[in-house]
């Protein structure tokens, strides 16, 4: 590749950014021509290509690329010091190619019409609505918990392994797509992450590899939470990028299951988000409501808390900062806090469709 071409590709990053920001102001175009046009074709092609392979091809590619990058910097360190501007140009070239590919194969979904508009629900929160929904979620979670365990004190133990959860998640998407076609999921590619331990230290429950469209789920996640996390990652695959929206989709698909264990995963998940929102708003109200939760469910929550505390480390704030920046750059102004914005969608949805 000659220098003129390298310079041209590197400089293309600027018009790319301008074009993507322009698209951000035209969500209707993105929805019609990309999210419901180009993207389904691209995503299904990659899932057809890699979905049948039992391990993550994308994670192997990432590993090789990182290794090659380290090898290049190490072996070319003298040349890099001698020609620093050439090295900066080459880095810009790589970023330009990455940025173009990322947006083409998945990233533009960040700029589609918000899910709340698609569902025709409000995307906001008020204290009375939050308290009302939380009270209903407590009742529903307690009810399903007792149906599963037969008492209020035993924690729920999932009877499935993680591969069975994946199979059931795919089936649930097939069911919900009859009523919500925008959640249609073809050619599944749902896998346990090869780097689950690293993901746990980073505080990540799963992620979508946009370049292979493989959904990776942290295989160490406690099983009672595993169904809703799996549903979340498939939500990314069907074309929703924002974390609050895929949190909600994961809840919705799992909640509508006829399986009691999946329902428990969904309702206990939604309840935990609402309780966290109340804890920020009014600690005394949190204590009052949490006292109504079955002790068995509290044990499940403690299991999750113990799990994350076990892997806390000094680098976690750095990982969170990187994720926070990535989300803000990609049209999620609340950054990492966007995950908790699922409460807004939960309130809006259950105002329209009561529990």
């Amino acid at each position: 590749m000659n220098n003129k071409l390298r310079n041209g590709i590197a400089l293309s990053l600027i018009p790319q950014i301008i074009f993507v920001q322009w698209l951000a102001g035209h969500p209707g175009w993105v929805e019609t021509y990309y999210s419901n046009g180009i993207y389904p074709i691209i995503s299904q092609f990659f899932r057809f290509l890699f979905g049948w392979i039992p391990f993550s091809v994308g994670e192997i590619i990432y590993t090789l690329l990182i290794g090659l990058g380290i090898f290049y910097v190490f072996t070319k360190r003298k040349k890099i010091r001698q020609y620093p501007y050439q090295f900066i140009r080459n880095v810009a070239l790589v970023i330009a190619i990455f940025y173009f590919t990322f947006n083409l194969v998945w990233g533009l979904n960040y700029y589609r019409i918000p899910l709340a508009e698609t569902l025709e629900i409000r995307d906001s929160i008020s204290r009375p609505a939050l308290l009302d929904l939380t009270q209903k979620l407590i009742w529903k979670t307690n009810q399903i918990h007792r149906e599963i365990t037969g008492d209020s004190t035993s924690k729920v133990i999932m009877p499935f392994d993680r591969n069975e959860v994946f199979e059931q998640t795919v089936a649930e998407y097939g069911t919900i797509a009859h009523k919500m076609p925008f959640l249609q999921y073809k050619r599944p590619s749902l896998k346990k992450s090869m780097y689950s331990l690293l993901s746990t230290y980073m505080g990540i429950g799963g992620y979508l590899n946009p370049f292979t469209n493989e959904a990776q789920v942290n295989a160490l996640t406690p099983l009672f939470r595993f169904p809703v996390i799996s549903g979340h990652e498939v939500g990314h695959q069907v074309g929703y990028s924002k974390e609050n929206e895929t949190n909600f989709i994961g809840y919705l698909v799992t909640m509508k299951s006829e399986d009691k264990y999946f329902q428990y995963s969904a309702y206990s998940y939604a309840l935990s988000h609402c309780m966290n929102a109340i804890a920020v708003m009014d600690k005394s109200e949190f204590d009052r409501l949490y006292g109504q939760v079955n002790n068995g469910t509290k044990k499940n929550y403690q299991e999750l808390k113990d799990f994350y505390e076990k892997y806390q480390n000094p680098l976690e704030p750095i990982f969170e900062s990187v994720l926070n920046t990535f989300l803000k750059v990609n049209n999620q102004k609340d950054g990492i806090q966007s995950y908790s914005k699922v409460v807004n969608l939960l309130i809006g949805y259950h105002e329209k469709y009561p529990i």
Side-chain angles (χ1 to χ4, degrees), residues 110 241-244 327-328 330-335 338:
Y110 278 111
S241 299
K242 295 180 179 178
E243 298 301 335
N244 62 323
L327 294 174
K328 287 183 176 180
N330 285 287
N331 202 37
Q332 295 187 76
K333 58 181 174 55
D334 296 306
S338 62

Side-chain angles (χ1 to χ4, degrees), residues 144 173 187 242 258 288 295:
I144 297 172
Y173 268 90
R187 304 191 180 282
K242 295 180 179 178
E258 293 185 2
R288 182 185 72 81
N295 286 331

Side-chain angles (χ1 to χ4, degrees), residues 125-283:
I125 188 172
S126 68
R127 179 188 171 93
L130 174 59
L131 293 175
D132 180 65
L133 175 60
T134 304
Q135 192 72 65
K136 291 175 180 176
L137 285 171
I138 290 172
W139 175 82
K140 190 67 177 179
T141 305
N142 285 347
Q143 178 193 44
I144 297 172
H145 174 267
R146 283 192 298 268
E147 290 175 3
I148 291 173
T149 63
D151 63 71
S152 63
T153 60
S154 302
K155 75 175 184 179
V156 170
I157 300 175
M158 297 284 285
F160 314 117
D161 64 30
R162 286 167 173 78
N163 288 328
E164 289 172 330
V165 171
F166 286 161
E167 292 172 3
Q168 185 66 24
T169 298
V170 173
E172 299 302 347
Y173 268 90
T175 300
I176 201 172
H178 293 296
K179 293 184 178 179
M180 297 181 173
F182 63 90
L183 293 179
Q184 189 175 71
Y185 182 47
K186 296 180 179 179
R187 304 191 180 282
S189 183
L190 187 56
K191 306 177 183 183
K192 289 180 282 189
S193 173
M194 295 165 54
Y195 293 111
S196 291
L197 182 60
L198 176 61
S199 295
T200 305
Y201 278 113
M202 295 173 68
I204 296 173
Y207 70 96
L208 174 70
N209 186 320
F211 305 104
T212 60
N213 217 264
E214 295 168 292
Q216 272 87 200
V217 184
N218 185 338
L220 300 179
T221 303
L223 261 173
F224 89 95
R225 181 56 60 89
F226 204 73
V228 75
I229 300 299
S230 300
H232 169 112
E233 299 309 329
V234 175
H236 282 312
Q237 287 180 302
V238 299
Y240 286 88
S241 299
K242 295 180 179 178
E243 298 301 335
N244 62 323
E245 296 183 343
T246 46
N247 272 355
F248 176 75
I249 290 170
Y251 162 78
L252 185 66
V253 171
T254 310
M255 179 268 291
K256 286 187 172 292
S257 172
E258 293 185 2
D259 184 273
K260 292 295 181 183
Y261 290 93
F262 267 59
Q263 290 177 18
Y264 179 76
S265 182
Y267 283 116
S268 62
Y269 174 78
L271 176 59
S272 65
H273 273 288
C274 289
M275 291 299 296
N276 286 339
I278 290 172
V280 173
M281 184 185 301
D282 188 334
K283 183 61 168 61

Side-chain angles (χ1 to χ4, degrees), residues 47-62:
R47 293 202 297 273
F48 169 77
L49 206 59
F50 302 118
W52 61 275
I53 301 174
F55 53 84
S56 173
V57 176
E59 289 185 330
I60 291 175
I61 293 173
Y62 279 162

